[in-house]
Amino acid sequence: MLGSLWPTLAGAPQHELVLVDDGSTADTRSWLQGVAAARAGVRVLFHGRNQGYAAAVMTGVQQARGARIGLLNSALLFQPGWLGPMLQALGPPTAGVGIVGN
């Protein structure tokens, strides 16, 4: 997911990426810490044990600092140009649009 995401964010508005590790192995945790250390704007949060998708989403949403939040899943593969149309449909934060899906 991250491999396909990075190239699509070139030229994107300022953003942060909050990754929530939901109780994975030590190897994955270490790898995620390396990702966060290597890229500005990436934070990693860790659950001590698997709490499920909804809990991971809530942890990320609660810690996000932006006016807009995108929920991404590790199984996604991003294609060039995916973000622009979603942001356009969403409009400015003052537009009152609550959710946009792909």
Side-chain angles (χ1 to χ4, degrees):
M1 186 274 286
L2 291 175
S4 68
L5 178 63
W6 301 133
T8 69
L9 294 179
Q14 183 179 5
H15 60 277
E16 70 175 334
L17 185 62
V18 179
L19 304 172
V20 180
D21 179 283
D22 195 29
S24 68
T25 65
D27 289 343
T28 300
R29 287 174 171 244
S30 176
W31 181 80
L32 287 170
Q33 288 171 326
V35 169
R39 292 206 173 249
V42 176
R43 291 188 295 141
V44 181
L45 308 172
F46 296 99
H47 284 174
R49 61 178 176 76
N50 186 299
Q51 297 179 36
Y53 180 74
V57 166
M58 288 307 299
T59 295
V61 167
Q62 289 170 343
Q63 294 299 312
R65 299 179 188 130
R68 300 175 179 160
I69 297 173
L71 303 179
L72 310 177
N73 187 291
S74 63
L76 295 173
L77 292 175
F78 295 93
Q79 299 296 317
W82 73 273
L83 183 57
M86 291 186 75
L87 291 175
Q88 185 177 8
L90 193 58
T94 57
V97 176
I99 189 167
V100 173
N102 59 0

